[in-house]
Amino acid sequence: MIKFFRKIRQKALTENRFSKYLIYAIGEIILVVLGILIALAINNNNQNRVTREKEQTYLSGLKNDFQTSKLKLSELIKVNKSNFHGAQQLIAYASNKNELPTETLFSELLLNTFSSDISFNPNNSLLNEMISSGSLKDISNAELRKQLTNWLSTIEDISKQENELGIQREKVLGFFRTNETSLRTVFNLTRVNQELGLPKIENNISNLKLLKSTAFENNVLMFILTNYATENAHYNPLMEDLNAILELINNELE
């Protein structure tokens, strides 16, 4: 097409028909510009397609990670609730010193309530990789980008709260680092001896005296308060954030 315009333009120039020459010259320029614009449009469409495919890959990976993190958080909330209820039972026995539990029941309560350390370990490897490589910008949904960025800072806050809960747990366990109590009794009357391959002892030192200790009661109460705050002020809002992120991801997936 351009060659056609060029031949006509040269013929018009030879015949001294300048106006006709000018018209065909402008037409040739317009064709060149249109060609460039079409090429740019095709290139942009290809680039957008590649970017969209890359975004879909990221979204699929993020969905899998956050679904796994949701399962982890759900299980952690269950463990935290179990620890909370166990500590409540201990306080109930401490409040009614005329009806003490058996040594076996007390040992089981202690083991079930304070043996599990609480720590949320979400699947953030892909998200961290996206942020470090600058690929978070490939997520087109601005609200999702914001939620993903806030997620990491929220996890840091959760970790601090879990650390405080761990401190309160250690303070209760500290009562079994003295000569007045026996951790061996707890092991002997629960499943721990068998799991660790430890021999059983015949005479157990009673730990029931702890239920008459104000210091023990205070530390269990501090554990309860921290446990309650961990669930209601941190884990439950975190679960809401997690569900919101999954909803946004699902809306963007094709």
Side-chain angles (χ1 to χ4, degrees), residues 6-160:
R6 186 174 294 122
K7 287 181 180 180
I8 295 177
R9 178 167 52 82
Q10 289 173 349
K11 183 179 180 182
L13 185 62
T14 303
E15 296 174 353
N16 291 322
R17 299 170 64 183
F18 184 74
S19 59
K20 188 176 181 180
Y21 167 83
L22 185 60
I23 290 173
Y24 282 102
I26 293 173
E28 187 177 337
I29 293 172
I30 291 174
L31 281 176
V32 172
V33 172
L34 284 175
I36 294 173
L37 291 176
I38 291 171
L40 287 174
I42 293 173
N43 183 66
N44 286 336
N45 286 335
N46 288 335
Q47 185 62 42
N48 290 336
R49 178 181 56 79
V50 171
T51 301
R52 186 60 179 170
E53 289 175 356
K54 184 179 179 183
E55 179 186 21
Q56 289 295 305
T57 300
Y58 279 139
L59 289 171
S60 179
L62 288 171
K63 180 179 179 179
N64 290 334
D65 281 356
F66 276 91
Q67 284 178 331
T68 301
S69 295
K70 182 176 180 178
L71 291 175
K72 289 181 177 181
L73 182 58
S74 297
E75 288 302 313
L76 201 59
I77 289 174
K78 289 180 183 178
V79 173
N80 199 54
K81 280 182 180 292
S82 177
N83 292 347
F84 178 79
H85 293 315
Q88 278 184 319
Q89 286 182 270
L90 289 172
I91 292 300
Y93 283 125
S95 300
N96 187 3
K97 296 177 176 57
N98 294 324
E99 295 184 13
L100 296 178
T102 64
E103 195 72 49
T104 299
L105 177 57
F106 186 51
S107 295
E108 290 174 347
L109 272 176
L110 289 170
L111 179 68
N112 294 334
T113 304
F114 300 109
S115 63
S116 299
D117 194 15
I118 299 295
S119 181
F120 180 47
N121 183 29
N123 285 28
N124 285 337
S125 56
L126 177 58
L127 179 57
N128 286 327
E129 177 189 331
M130 290 174 64
I131 291 176
S132 62
S133 65
S135 297
L136 191 60
K137 68 179 185 302
D138 293 326
I139 303 298
S140 57
N141 189 306
E143 178 61 24
L144 178 55
R145 289 200 307 272
K146 176 184 175 183
Q147 290 271 17
L148 290 173
T149 302
N150 291 341
W151 170 261
L152 294 179
S153 59
T154 302
I155 294 302
E156 291 181 5
D157 292 337
I158 294 293
S159 180
K160 293 176 183 177

Side-chain angles (χ1 to χ4, degrees), residues 199-218:
K200 278 200 169 187
I201 55 176
E202 294 298 328
N203 298 317
N204 295 307
I205 300 174
S206 177
N207 292 313
L208 292 176
K209 63 179 77 71
L210 286 174
L211 292 173
K212 299 179 181 180
S213 166
T214 302
F216 178 77
E217 183 179 34
N218 287 341

